[in-house]
Amino acid sequence: MQTPHNLSLREAFWVWVKVAAYSFGGPAGQIAVMHKLLVEEKKWVSENRFLHALNYTMLLPGPEAQQLATYLGWLLHKTRGGLIAGGLFILPGFVSILALSVLYAGFQDLTWVQALFYGLKPAVLAVVIEAVIRIGRRALKNNVMIALAALSFIAIFFFQVPFPIIVLAAGLIGYIGGKVALDYFDVIRQRETGKEDDSDYLITDSVAQAQRPSLSYALRVAVIGLILWSIPLIVSALTYGTDHVFYQEGVFFSQTAVVTFGGAYAVLAFIAQQAVEVYGWLAPGEMLDGLGMAETTPGPLVQVVQFVGFMGAYRNAAPFSPMTAGVIGSIITTWVTFVPCFIWIFLGAPFIEFWRNNKSLTTALSGITAAVVGVILNLAVWFALQTLFGTVTETHIGPLRLLIPDFSTLDIAALAIAIGASIALFKLKWSMLQVLAAAALAGMAYYMLVVV
């Protein structure tokens, strides 16, 4: 399939490696990394196309940042590009959590890992803040869009309105608004006719897609995807039976893969409860240890399921050794969690691109774009509270949810690193690699000399 540019897959490969290596800080940080590298630095994808892809991935179950990488990789180099971008995004987290799971099961001492990543989280906070400012400045072109973003933030942060409801409501508002007040809701057209020039980008609104959607294509993707998704289930059922831990993990995490709307936290409580109380894969409290691994390693936060899969198989190892069973369980869990993510993109992206210039879809997505800015701001505030304070109390007053930090638990060192990273990023114009490397070294030195 011909691509509408001369960017080589080899060159893109190494940039996707960099995206994967920098993918700390949950979806807000990961989206910020891709925006900085692909939109601002490389100018491979215009702002409009980036937000169009982000809007679609926000509607899907699963980790939106990984699916955004897959979508953008597909946009640049079709199926091969999507597989490379999405696969590389998963790989560092998979290797890191697999290694940490082995250490945890064998030694249960992760001090050196905590030291390594101590400085990275506050540095990623600076990257997230930059992304919120940049994306908000470009997406919120009028007071209506600003109001939608504000309402989205209030709904999800203070009232915990489910993410799919926010997105659907924003899309409906955008669709109806486009019928009655087009100038306020056709934000993409406003960006095109404004001062911003996207002629330097490889993929812009004027670049047509190279792959037209069709029913035969959709059926082919669906059939191949479902076969690949079910391979671990079929093999484990035929080899070890449906009562074996490999089959049980495959089925359970296949189910959770299709209900993780709105990020990993929406389903982690359910996973923890089932893993502890129903299946006995984890001991009480171990889910928090696994979550700590996922929080401080690159890749999607939902990668924590890999730790659950490892420990479940480690404790139900027959006929393998515990470590071997743990590794196999880890692979099966990762496979059934992420294969669906590729299916959603390869199945839906051609249709989403084909309908990109449809006016009703455009205004609906303009509403979703504004809501997404509010959601990213919500993630940024939540991430800041968790990074800078040791204790954050959740208080409810009727339907209102308040997150109140205990200021006596403020981590001064983390705050200092966050401020330093912000200065380096905003004022000194350091590269992201320089900022993250400096923050990691400073955090490691502080943690090993003062905390431990």
Short mmCIF file of all heavy atoms in Angstrom, two decimals, residues 1 49 52-53 56-57 60 67 70-80 82 207-222 341-358 361 365:
data_model
loop_
_atom_site.label_atom_id
_atom_site.label_comp_id
_atom_site.label_asym_id
_atom_site.label_seq_id
_atom_site.Cartn_x
_atom_site.Cartn_y
_atom_site.Cartn_z
N MET A 1 0.85 -1.20 0.00
CA MET A 1 0.00 0.00 0.00
C MET A 1 0.89 1.24 0.00
O MET A 1 1.75 1.41 0.84
CB MET A 1 -0.89 0.00 1.23
CG MET A 1 -1.87 1.15 1.28
SD MET A 1 -3.21 0.97 0.12
CE MET A 1 -4.07 -0.45 0.81
N ARG A 49 -4.98 16.22 12.48
CA ARG A 49 -4.99 14.76 12.31
C ARG A 49 -4.67 14.06 13.63
O ARG A 49 -5.19 12.98 13.92
CB ARG A 49 -4.01 14.35 11.22
CG ARG A 49 -4.32 14.89 9.84
CD ARG A 49 -5.68 14.43 9.31
NE ARG A 49 -5.68 13.07 8.82
CZ ARG A 49 -5.43 12.71 7.56
NH1 ARG A 49 -5.17 13.66 6.64
NH2 ARG A 49 -5.47 11.45 7.18
N HIS A 52 -7.82 14.24 15.69
CA HIS A 52 -8.82 13.35 15.09
C HIS A 52 -8.56 11.91 15.53
O HIS A 52 -9.50 11.19 15.93
CB HIS A 52 -8.75 13.47 13.57
CG HIS A 52 -9.82 12.71 12.86
ND1 HIS A 52 -11.09 13.19 12.68
CD2 HIS A 52 -9.81 11.48 12.26
CE1 HIS A 52 -11.82 12.31 12.01
NE2 HIS A 52 -11.07 11.25 11.75
N ALA A 53 -7.30 11.49 15.49
CA ALA A 53 -6.95 10.14 15.93
C ALA A 53 -7.19 9.97 17.43
O ALA A 53 -7.72 8.95 17.88
CB ALA A 53 -5.49 9.85 15.60
N TYR A 56 -10.86 9.38 18.36
CA TYR A 56 -11.34 8.02 18.12
C TYR A 56 -10.85 7.06 19.19
O TYR A 56 -11.62 6.26 19.73
CB TYR A 56 -10.89 7.55 16.73
CG TYR A 56 -11.21 6.10 16.46
CD1 TYR A 56 -12.52 5.64 16.48
CD2 TYR A 56 -10.20 5.18 16.18
CE1 TYR A 56 -12.83 4.32 16.22
CE2 TYR A 56 -10.49 3.85 15.92
CZ TYR A 56 -11.80 3.42 15.94
OH TYR A 56 -12.09 2.10 15.70
N THR A 57 -9.57 7.16 19.53
CA THR A 57 -9.02 6.21 20.51
C THR A 57 -9.62 6.44 21.90
O THR A 57 -9.70 5.50 22.70
CB THR A 57 -7.49 6.32 20.59
OG1 THR A 57 -7.10 7.66 20.97
CG2 THR A 57 -6.86 5.99 19.24
N LEU A 60 -12.57 4.12 22.60
CA LEU A 60 -12.37 2.67 22.58
C LEU A 60 -12.07 2.12 23.97
O LEU A 60 -11.52 2.81 24.82
CB LEU A 60 -11.20 2.33 21.65
CG LEU A 60 -11.32 2.77 20.20
CD1 LEU A 60 -10.03 2.48 19.45
CD2 LEU A 60 -12.49 2.06 19.53
N GLN A 67 -3.25 2.81 21.78
CA GLN A 67 -4.05 2.77 20.56
C GLN A 67 -3.81 4.00 19.70
O GLN A 67 -3.87 3.93 18.47
CB GLN A 67 -5.53 2.63 20.95
CG GLN A 67 -5.81 1.26 21.55
CD GLN A 67 -7.21 1.09 22.08
OE1 GLN A 67 -7.96 0.24 21.64
NE2 GLN A 67 -7.59 1.90 23.06
N THR A 70 -0.73 3.20 17.79
CA THR A 70 -1.07 2.27 16.72
C THR A 70 -1.75 2.99 15.57
O THR A 70 -1.41 2.77 14.39
CB THR A 70 -1.99 1.15 17.25
OG1 THR A 70 -1.38 0.52 18.37
CG2 THR A 70 -2.26 0.11 16.18
N TYR A 71 -2.68 3.88 15.90
CA TYR A 71 -3.41 4.64 14.87
C TYR A 71 -2.43 5.50 14.06
O TYR A 71 -2.46 5.51 12.81
CB TYR A 71 -4.47 5.51 15.54
CG TYR A 71 -5.47 6.15 14.60
CD1 TYR A 71 -6.83 5.84 14.69
CD2 TYR A 71 -5.09 7.07 13.64
CE1 TYR A 71 -7.76 6.41 13.85
CE2 TYR A 71 -6.01 7.66 12.79
CZ TYR A 71 -7.34 7.32 12.91
OH TYR A 71 -8.26 7.90 12.07
N LEU A 72 -1.57 6.24 14.74
CA LEU A 72 -0.64 7.13 14.04
C LEU A 72 0.38 6.34 13.23
O LEU A 72 0.78 6.76 12.14
CB LEU A 72 0.06 8.04 15.05
CG LEU A 72 -0.85 9.02 15.80
CD1 LEU A 72 -0.07 9.80 16.84
CD2 LEU A 72 -1.55 9.98 14.83
N GLY A 73 0.82 5.19 13.77
CA GLY A 73 1.70 4.33 12.99
C GLY A 73 1.01 3.82 11.74
O GLY A 73 1.60 3.78 10.66
N TRP A 74 -0.28 3.44 11.88
CA TRP A 74 -1.08 3.02 10.72
C TRP A 74 -1.25 4.17 9.74
O TRP A 74 -1.17 3.98 8.51
CB TRP A 74 -2.45 2.53 11.20
CG TRP A 74 -3.41 2.26 10.09
CD1 TRP A 74 -3.55 1.11 9.37
CD2 TRP A 74 -4.37 3.18 9.53
NE1 TRP A 74 -4.53 1.24 8.42
CE2 TRP A 74 -5.05 2.50 8.50
CE3 TRP A 74 -4.72 4.50 9.83
CZ2 TRP A 74 -6.05 3.11 7.75
CZ3 TRP A 74 -5.72 5.10 9.08
CH2 TRP A 74 -6.38 4.42 8.06
N LEU A 75 -1.48 5.38 10.24
CA LEU A 75 -1.68 6.54 9.38
C LEU A 75 -0.44 6.81 8.54
O LEU A 75 -0.54 7.21 7.37
CB LEU A 75 -2.01 7.76 10.25
CG LEU A 75 -2.61 8.99 9.55
CD1 LEU A 75 -3.93 8.65 8.89
CD2 LEU A 75 -2.80 10.11 10.57
N LEU A 76 0.73 6.57 9.12
CA LEU A 76 1.99 6.84 8.41
C LEU A 76 2.40 5.70 7.49
O LEU A 76 2.89 5.93 6.39
CB LEU A 76 3.10 7.12 9.42
CG LEU A 76 3.00 8.44 10.19
CD1 LEU A 76 3.95 8.44 11.38
CD2 LEU A 76 3.33 9.62 9.26
N HIS A 77 2.23 4.45 7.95
CA HIS A 77 2.73 3.31 7.17
C HIS A 77 1.77 2.12 7.18
O HIS A 77 2.20 0.98 7.05
CB HIS A 77 4.10 2.87 7.71
CG HIS A 77 5.19 3.86 7.47
ND1 HIS A 77 5.66 4.69 8.48
CD2 HIS A 77 5.89 4.20 6.35
CE1 HIS A 77 6.62 5.47 7.98
NE2 HIS A 77 6.76 5.20 6.71
N LYS A 78 0.50 2.38 7.35
CA LYS A 78 -0.53 1.35 7.28
C LYS A 78 -0.27 0.21 8.27
O LYS A 78 0.23 0.45 9.34
CB LYS A 78 -0.72 0.86 5.85
CG LYS A 78 -1.11 2.01 4.92
CD LYS A 78 -2.31 2.75 5.48
CE LYS A 78 -2.45 4.15 4.91
NZ LYS A 78 -3.41 4.96 5.69
N THR A 79 -0.62 -1.01 7.93
CA THR A 79 -0.64 -2.10 8.91
C THR A 79 0.73 -2.32 9.54
O THR A 79 0.85 -2.48 10.76
CB THR A 79 -1.12 -3.40 8.26
OG1 THR A 79 -2.42 -3.20 7.70
CG2 THR A 79 -1.20 -4.52 9.29
N ARG A 80 1.78 -2.33 8.73
CA ARG A 80 3.13 -2.53 9.29
C ARG A 80 3.48 -1.42 10.28
O ARG A 80 4.05 -1.68 11.34
CB ARG A 80 4.17 -2.58 8.18
CG ARG A 80 4.15 -3.85 7.34
CD ARG A 80 5.33 -3.88 6.40
NE ARG A 80 5.34 -2.71 5.51
CZ ARG A 80 6.38 -2.34 4.78
NH1 ARG A 80 7.51 -3.01 4.82
NH2 ARG A 80 6.31 -1.28 3.99
N GLY A 82 1.39 0.43 12.03
CA GLY A 82 0.57 0.28 13.22
C GLY A 82 1.09 -0.81 14.14
O GLY A 82 1.14 -0.65 15.37
N VAL A 207 -4.18 15.82 2.91
CA VAL A 207 -3.62 14.54 2.47
C VAL A 207 -4.68 13.46 2.63
O VAL A 207 -5.12 13.18 3.75
CB VAL A 207 -2.35 14.17 3.27
CG1 VAL A 207 -1.85 12.79 2.86
CG2 VAL A 207 -1.27 15.22 3.05
N ALA A 208 -5.08 12.86 1.55
CA ALA A 208 -6.10 11.81 1.60
C ALA A 208 -5.48 10.50 2.07
O ALA A 208 -4.29 10.27 1.93
CB ALA A 208 -6.72 11.63 0.22
N GLN A 209 -6.32 9.66 2.64
CA GLN A 209 -5.85 8.37 3.09
C GLN A 209 -5.55 7.47 1.89
O GLN A 209 -6.16 7.59 0.83
CB GLN A 209 -6.87 7.71 4.00
CG GLN A 209 -8.15 7.33 3.29
CD GLN A 209 -9.10 6.58 4.20
OE1 GLN A 209 -10.09 7.12 4.63
NE2 GLN A 209 -8.80 5.34 4.48
N ALA A 210 -4.60 6.54 2.08
CA ALA A 210 -4.22 5.64 1.00
C ALA A 210 -5.04 4.35 1.02
O ALA A 210 -4.91 3.54 0.13
CB ALA A 210 -2.73 5.31 1.11
N GLN A 211 -5.85 4.16 2.01
CA GLN A 211 -6.59 2.91 2.17
C GLN A 211 -8.07 3.20 2.38
O GLN A 211 -8.47 3.76 3.39
CB GLN A 211 -6.03 2.13 3.36
CG GLN A 211 -6.69 0.78 3.60
CD GLN A 211 -5.96 -0.01 4.66
OE1 GLN A 211 -4.74 -0.06 4.70
NE2 GLN A 211 -6.72 -0.64 5.54
N ARG A 212 -8.89 2.85 1.40
CA ARG A 212 -10.32 3.08 1.50
C ARG A 212 -10.98 1.93 2.24
O ARG A 212 -10.61 0.76 2.06
CB ARG A 212 -10.94 3.23 0.11
CG ARG A 212 -10.51 4.48 -0.61
CD ARG A 212 -11.14 4.53 -2.00
NE ARG A 212 -12.58 4.61 -1.92
CZ ARG A 212 -13.26 5.74 -1.80
NH1 ARG A 212 -12.61 6.89 -1.71
NH2 ARG A 212 -14.58 5.75 -1.75
N PRO A 213 -11.96 2.22 3.08
CA PRO A 213 -12.62 1.14 3.83
C PRO A 213 -13.54 0.33 2.93
O PRO A 213 -14.06 0.83 1.93
CB PRO A 213 -13.41 1.90 4.89
CG PRO A 213 -13.71 3.22 4.26
CD PRO A 213 -12.52 3.55 3.40
N SER A 214 -13.75 -0.92 3.28
CA SER A 214 -14.68 -1.77 2.56
C SER A 214 -15.15 -2.87 3.50
O SER A 214 -14.49 -3.17 4.50
CB SER A 214 -14.02 -2.39 1.33
OG SER A 214 -13.00 -3.29 1.71
N LEU A 215 -16.28 -3.47 3.16
CA LEU A 215 -16.81 -4.55 3.98
C LEU A 215 -15.86 -5.74 3.97
O LEU A 215 -15.66 -6.38 5.01
CB LEU A 215 -18.19 -4.96 3.47
CG LEU A 215 -18.89 -6.09 4.23
CD1 LEU A 215 -19.08 -5.70 5.69
CD2 LEU A 215 -20.22 -6.43 3.58
N SER A 216 -15.27 -6.05 2.82
CA SER A 216 -14.35 -7.19 2.74
C SER A 216 -13.13 -6.97 3.62
O SER A 216 -12.65 -7.90 4.29
CB SER A 216 -13.92 -7.43 1.29
OG SER A 216 -13.23 -6.31 0.78
N TYR A 217 -12.62 -5.72 3.62
CA TYR A 217 -11.47 -5.40 4.49
C TYR A 217 -11.86 -5.57 5.96
O TYR A 217 -11.11 -6.16 6.75
CB TYR A 217 -11.01 -3.97 4.23
CG TYR A 217 -10.03 -3.45 5.26
CD1 TYR A 217 -8.68 -3.73 5.17
CD2 TYR A 217 -10.48 -2.67 6.34
CE1 TYR A 217 -7.79 -3.27 6.13
CE2 TYR A 217 -9.59 -2.22 7.29
CZ TYR A 217 -8.25 -2.52 7.18
OH TYR A 217 -7.37 -2.07 8.14
N ALA A 218 -13.03 -5.05 6.34
CA ALA A 218 -13.47 -5.14 7.73
C ALA A 218 -13.63 -6.60 8.16
O ALA A 218 -13.21 -6.98 9.26
CB ALA A 218 -14.77 -4.37 7.92
N LEU A 219 -14.23 -7.42 7.30
CA LEU A 219 -14.40 -8.83 7.63
C LEU A 219 -13.06 -9.53 7.76
O LEU A 219 -12.86 -10.38 8.65
CB LEU A 219 -15.26 -9.52 6.56
CG LEU A 219 -16.74 -9.14 6.55
CD1 LEU A 219 -17.45 -9.76 5.34
CD2 LEU A 219 -17.42 -9.60 7.84
N ARG A 220 -12.13 -9.21 6.88
CA ARG A 220 -10.80 -9.83 6.93
C ARG A 220 -10.08 -9.48 8.22
O ARG A 220 -9.50 -10.35 8.89
CB ARG A 220 -9.98 -9.39 5.71
CG ARG A 220 -8.63 -10.09 5.60
CD ARG A 220 -8.01 -9.89 4.23
NE ARG A 220 -7.65 -8.49 3.99
CZ ARG A 220 -8.29 -7.67 3.16
NH1 ARG A 220 -9.34 -8.11 2.49
NH2 ARG A 220 -7.89 -6.43 3.00
N VAL A 221 -10.12 -8.20 8.61
CA VAL A 221 -9.48 -7.77 9.86
C VAL A 221 -10.15 -8.45 11.05
O VAL A 221 -9.46 -8.93 11.97
CB VAL A 221 -9.55 -6.24 10.00
CG1 VAL A 221 -9.11 -5.81 11.40
CG2 VAL A 221 -8.67 -5.57 8.96
N ALA A 222 -11.48 -8.50 11.06
CA ALA A 222 -12.21 -9.09 12.18
C ALA A 222 -11.88 -10.57 12.33
O ALA A 222 -11.63 -11.05 13.45
CB ALA A 222 -13.71 -8.88 12.01
N CYS A 341 -6.69 -4.32 21.09
CA CYS A 341 -6.37 -2.91 20.81
C CYS A 341 -6.00 -2.72 19.34
O CYS A 341 -6.39 -1.72 18.71
CB CYS A 341 -5.23 -2.45 21.70
SG CYS A 341 -5.59 -2.52 23.47
N PHE A 342 -5.26 -3.67 18.79
CA PHE A 342 -4.91 -3.59 17.37
C PHE A 342 -6.13 -3.83 16.49
O PHE A 342 -6.29 -3.20 15.44
CB PHE A 342 -3.81 -4.62 17.05
CG PHE A 342 -2.48 -4.30 17.66
CD1 PHE A 342 -2.11 -4.86 18.87
CD2 PHE A 342 -1.59 -3.44 17.03
CE1 PHE A 342 -0.88 -4.56 19.44
CE2 PHE A 342 -0.36 -3.14 17.58
CZ PHE A 342 0.00 -3.70 18.80
N ILE A 343 -7.01 -4.72 16.93
CA ILE A 343 -8.22 -4.99 16.15
C ILE A 343 -9.06 -3.73 16.04
O ILE A 343 -9.52 -3.36 14.94
CB ILE A 343 -9.04 -6.12 16.80
CG1 ILE A 343 -8.26 -7.44 16.80
CG2 ILE A 343 -10.36 -6.32 16.05
CD1 ILE A 343 -8.96 -8.57 17.53
N TRP A 344 -9.27 -3.01 17.17
CA TRP A 344 -10.11 -1.81 17.13
C TRP A 344 -9.55 -0.78 16.14
O TRP A 344 -10.32 -0.14 15.40
CB TRP A 344 -10.22 -1.15 18.50
CG TRP A 344 -10.52 -2.00 19.69
CD1 TRP A 344 -10.02 -1.82 20.95
CD2 TRP A 344 -11.41 -3.13 19.79
NE1 TRP A 344 -10.51 -2.77 21.81
CE2 TRP A 344 -11.37 -3.59 21.13
CE3 TRP A 344 -12.20 -3.81 18.88
CZ2 TRP A 344 -12.10 -4.67 21.57
CZ3 TRP A 344 -12.94 -4.90 19.32
CH2 TRP A 344 -12.89 -5.32 20.64
N ILE A 345 -8.22 -0.64 16.12
CA ILE A 345 -7.63 0.37 15.24
C ILE A 345 -7.69 -0.05 13.78
O ILE A 345 -8.16 0.70 12.92
CB ILE A 345 -6.17 0.64 15.65
CG1 ILE A 345 -6.11 1.20 17.08
CG2 ILE A 345 -5.51 1.62 14.66
CD1 ILE A 345 -6.90 2.46 17.29
N PHE A 346 -7.21 -1.25 13.47
CA PHE A 346 -7.18 -1.68 12.08
C PHE A 346 -8.59 -1.83 11.50
O PHE A 346 -8.79 -1.66 10.30
CB PHE A 346 -6.42 -3.00 11.94
CG PHE A 346 -4.95 -2.88 12.28
CD1 PHE A 346 -4.29 -3.92 12.90
CD2 PHE A 346 -4.25 -1.73 11.99
CE1 PHE A 346 -2.94 -3.83 13.22
CE2 PHE A 346 -2.90 -1.61 12.31
CZ PHE A 346 -2.25 -2.66 12.93
N LEU A 347 -9.55 -2.13 12.35
CA LEU A 347 -10.93 -2.26 11.90
C LEU A 347 -11.59 -0.91 11.69
O LEU A 347 -12.27 -0.68 10.68
CB LEU A 347 -11.72 -3.08 12.93
CG LEU A 347 -13.15 -3.49 12.56
CD1 LEU A 347 -13.15 -4.40 11.33
CD2 LEU A 347 -13.81 -4.20 13.74
N GLY A 348 -11.38 0.02 12.63
CA GLY A 348 -12.12 1.28 12.59
C GLY A 348 -11.43 2.44 11.93
O GLY A 348 -12.10 3.33 11.39
N ALA A 349 -10.10 2.47 11.96
CA ALA A 349 -9.38 3.65 11.47
C ALA A 349 -9.69 4.00 10.02
O ALA A 349 -9.88 5.19 9.70
CB ALA A 349 -7.87 3.46 11.67
N PRO A 350 -9.73 3.04 9.09
CA PRO A 350 -10.06 3.43 7.70
C PRO A 350 -11.41 4.12 7.57
O PRO A 350 -11.56 5.05 6.77
CB PRO A 350 -10.05 2.08 6.96
CG PRO A 350 -9.15 1.20 7.76
CD PRO A 350 -9.41 1.60 9.19
N PHE A 351 -12.40 3.67 8.36
CA PHE A 351 -13.71 4.30 8.29
C PHE A 351 -13.69 5.69 8.91
O PHE A 351 -14.30 6.63 8.38
CB PHE A 351 -14.74 3.41 9.01
CG PHE A 351 -15.00 2.11 8.32
CD1 PHE A 351 -14.28 0.98 8.65
CD2 PHE A 351 -15.95 2.01 7.31
CE1 PHE A 351 -14.51 -0.23 8.01
CE2 PHE A 351 -16.20 0.81 6.66
CZ PHE A 351 -15.47 -0.32 7.01
N ILE A 352 -12.98 5.83 10.04
CA ILE A 352 -12.87 7.13 10.69
C ILE A 352 -12.17 8.14 9.78
O ILE A 352 -12.57 9.31 9.69
CB ILE A 352 -12.12 6.99 12.03
CG1 ILE A 352 -12.95 6.17 13.02
CG2 ILE A 352 -11.81 8.35 12.63
CD1 ILE A 352 -14.29 6.78 13.39
N GLU A 353 -11.14 7.69 9.08
CA GLU A 353 -10.44 8.58 8.15
C GLU A 353 -11.31 8.91 6.94
O GLU A 353 -11.29 10.03 6.45
CB GLU A 353 -9.13 7.91 7.70
CG GLU A 353 -8.05 7.90 8.76
CD GLU A 353 -7.60 9.31 9.13
OE1 GLU A 353 -7.33 10.12 8.21
OE2 GLU A 353 -7.53 9.61 10.33
N PHE A 354 -12.05 7.92 6.46
CA PHE A 354 -12.90 8.13 5.29
C PHE A 354 -13.98 9.18 5.57
O PHE A 354 -14.34 9.97 4.70
CB PHE A 354 -13.53 6.81 4.87
CG PHE A 354 -14.39 6.90 3.64
CD1 PHE A 354 -13.82 7.08 2.38
CD2 PHE A 354 -15.77 6.81 3.73
CE1 PHE A 354 -14.62 7.17 1.25
CE2 PHE A 354 -16.57 6.90 2.61
CZ PHE A 354 -15.99 7.07 1.36
N TRP A 355 -14.49 9.16 6.81
CA TRP A 355 -15.55 10.10 7.18
C TRP A 355 -15.01 11.40 7.77
O TRP A 355 -15.78 12.21 8.29
CB TRP A 355 -16.48 9.44 8.21
CG TRP A 355 -17.26 8.29 7.67
CD1 TRP A 355 -17.76 8.15 6.42
CD2 TRP A 355 -17.63 7.10 8.39
NE1 TRP A 355 -18.43 6.96 6.29
CE2 TRP A 355 -18.36 6.28 7.49
CE3 TRP A 355 -17.42 6.64 9.68
CZ2 TRP A 355 -18.86 5.05 7.84
CZ3 TRP A 355 -17.93 5.40 10.04
CH2 TRP A 355 -18.64 4.61 9.13
N ARG A 356 -13.72 11.63 7.67
CA ARG A 356 -13.09 12.75 8.36
C ARG A 356 -13.65 14.10 7.91
O ARG A 356 -13.74 15.04 8.70
CB ARG A 356 -11.58 12.70 8.12
CG ARG A 356 -10.78 13.78 8.80
CD ARG A 356 -9.28 13.45 8.74
NE ARG A 356 -8.90 13.00 7.43
CZ ARG A 356 -8.56 13.82 6.43
NH1 ARG A 356 -8.57 15.11 6.61
NH2 ARG A 356 -8.21 13.33 5.26
N ASN A 357 -14.01 14.23 6.63
CA ASN A 357 -14.50 15.51 6.13
C ASN A 357 -16.02 15.61 6.15
O ASN A 357 -16.59 16.57 5.62
CB ASN A 357 -13.99 15.72 4.70
CG ASN A 357 -12.49 15.93 4.67
OD1 ASN A 357 -11.94 16.60 5.54
ND2 ASN A 357 -11.82 15.34 3.69
N ASN A 358 -16.67 14.61 6.75
CA ASN A 358 -18.11 14.70 6.94
C ASN A 358 -18.41 15.77 7.97
O ASN A 358 -17.90 15.72 9.09
CB ASN A 358 -18.65 13.33 7.39
CG ASN A 358 -20.14 13.34 7.62
OD1 ASN A 358 -20.61 13.78 8.65
ND2 ASN A 358 -20.89 12.82 6.65
N LEU A 361 -19.83 14.59 11.38
CA LEU A 361 -18.81 13.91 12.17
C LEU A 361 -17.77 14.90 12.68
O LEU A 361 -17.30 14.80 13.83
CB LEU A 361 -18.13 12.83 11.32
CG LEU A 361 -17.02 12.04 12.02
CD1 LEU A 361 -17.56 11.24 13.19
CD2 LEU A 361 -16.31 11.12 11.03
N LEU A 365 -16.88 15.50 16.54
CA LEU A 365 -15.52 15.29 17.03
C LEU A 365 -14.92 16.57 17.61
O LEU A 365 -14.06 16.51 18.48
CB LEU A 365 -14.63 14.74 15.91
CG LEU A 365 -14.92 13.30 15.49
CD1 LEU A 365 -14.00 12.88 14.35
CD2 LEU A 365 -14.75 12.35 16.67
#
